[in-house]
Amino acid sequence: MEWLVSLLGAALIMAALRDLFHTLWHPTRHGGLSRLVMTALWKLARHLRARRRVVGLVGPLAMVTVVGMWAFIIILGWAIVYWPHMPEAFAFAPGSGLSQEPELLDSIYLSLVMVATLGLGDIVPAEGWLRVASPLEALIGFVLLTATVSWVLEIYPTLTRRRVLAIRLALLHRSDPSVQQLDCAVGASLLESLATEVVRVRIDFTQYAEAYYFHDGEDHSSLAAEIGYAVHLAQRGQAARRADVRLTATVLTDALKDLAGILDQRFLHTNGTPAEVFAAYAADHGRAVTGS
């Protein structure tokens, strides 16, 4: 029975580590628990009255919540591993009084100390396998800290790339080039560079799905508000006389279709056309989509 309880704790630890791996390091980022937490917070914020102010906090708050969830599950899992063997398999420092506390409380205390890599030494394992397991928890705690820092450093460059594309589209929308203005070598270069940026954002949404839950702020820096204009530019480019402009416009159209497919498959589930997906994306972020 004691080993069954310890195995239950080990299963919790493995579930947290699996979710951490798929959220941070797996190329397609299909974290299960983390995605559920982020989606729930996003939907909750959408139904609150002070929508824009609250939605702007969802991304950072979701990341903090997910990291806290991982830490809680890991600490609880290790406490359950220790619990059936407490206090017989552990040595307590004289005068600490810890052995007088409830066994579960001592187990949680030891788990907190180990995952925080404090190593206070007032409770130490006395059995051989526990002497291996306890340092392993400290190693997992260090991995969790490192993963959290890496996650923050990874996510903000993706937001920057998204906002750069949005601002560029907003500036183009302001000047609103005609078919004749796009029908030149500069127009072909412009459409090609836009297609490259759209592909980068598409990859960001694939590898950093949590970026979807970050609000862009003002309309001029919101991809949700401006992505529809990219569709309009591609349509104008396809009406040009130059073959290179039509080719790059087609590439941009295909890149936008791929982006719409990722947004629909992972977040929106409309099963609609790219225009409908982008309209749903804008609505989900509280924006009016720009198309012309």
Side-chain angles (χ1 to χ4, degrees):
M1 185 62 184
E2 292 180 351
W3 287 104
L4 288 177
V5 175
S6 294
L7 286 174
L8 174 61
L12 286 175
I13 296 165
M14 293 305 297
L17 292 178
R18 180 188 181 279
D19 192 69
L20 188 151
F21 172 79
H22 282 283
T23 302
L24 271 67
W25 295 311
H26 195 276
T28 56
R29 302 294 180 102
H30 286 295
L33 294 174
S34 59
R35 280 292 301 276
L36 287 175
V37 169
M38 291 184 171
T39 303
L41 288 175
W42 180 259
K43 290 181 178 179
L44 177 63
R46 289 185 66 230
H47 289 88
L48 296 178
R49 289 185 178 179
R51 188 171 186 275
R52 292 210 172 183
R53 288 178 296 174
V54 175
V55 169
L57 297 174
V58 170
L61 180 60
M63 291 182 70
V64 171
T65 304
V66 168
V67 172
M69 176 192 68
W70 289 334
F72 174 78
I73 294 175
I74 289 171
I75 291 168
L76 179 62
W78 280 101
I80 293 174
V81 170
Y82 298 143
W83 184 24
H85 311 282
M86 186 72 68
E88 296 84 4
F90 295 87
F92 295 81
S96 65
L98 289 171
S99 58
Q100 310 301 320
E101 300 292 339
E103 295 170 359
L104 180 59
L105 184 61
D106 282 343
S107 300
I108 294 173
Y109 168 76
L110 177 60
S111 183
L112 279 168
V113 169
M114 295 306 299
V115 83
T117 67
L118 293 176
L120 298 179
D122 45 2
I123 304 181
V124 294
E127 289 190 5
W129 73 273
L130 285 170
R131 291 183 178 183
V132 175
S134 295
L136 182 60
E137 182 182 7
L139 179 61
I140 291 175
F142 181 76
V143 168
L144 179 61
L145 175 61
T146 305
T148 301
V149 174
S150 300
W151 198 16
V152 173
L153 293 178
E154 286 176 349
I155 194 66
Y156 283 96
T158 71
L159 300 178
T160 299
R161 288 190 289 270
R162 191 170 77 191
R163 287 168 184 163
V164 166
L165 174 59
I167 292 173
R168 190 178 181 196
L169 287 172
L171 293 174
L172 285 170
H173 191 192
R174 197 176 303 166
S175 59
D176 198 23
S178 63
V179 175
Q180 291 73 25
Q181 289 174 314
L182 290 174
D183 197 11
C184 60
V186 174
S189 177
L190 171 66
L191 295 176
E192 181 184 16
S193 63
L194 284 176
T196 300
E197 291 185 34
V198 169
V199 169
R200 286 174 182 160
V201 170
R202 183 256 193 209
I203 294 173
D204 286 341
F205 277 124
T206 302
Q207 295 191 341
Y208 307 95
E210 57 274 12
Y212 180 87
Y213 304 105
F214 279 75
H215 203 251
D216 286 332
E218 300 84 0
D219 283 336
H220 75 276
S221 64
S222 172
L223 184 64
E226 294 294 340
I227 191 62
Y229 187 68
V231 177
H232 191 66
L233 278 178
Q235 291 171 347
R236 287 185 182 181
Q238 288 176 323
R241 290 178 297 176
R242 289 177 60 106
D244 56 345
V245 176
R246 294 198 303 272
L247 174 61
T248 54
T250 301
V251 172
L252 176 57
T253 299
D254 290 341
L256 289 166
K257 287 180 180 177
D258 285 346
L259 175 60
I262 290 296
L263 289 172
D264 199 43
Q265 176 187 357
R266 292 203 159 200
F267 310 105
L268 299 169
H269 311 294
T270 67
N271 295 319
T273 64
E276 292 170 340
V277 172
F278 290 143
Y281 175 42
D284 199 36
H285 281 254
R287 306 298 183 188
V289 68
T290 302
S292 60

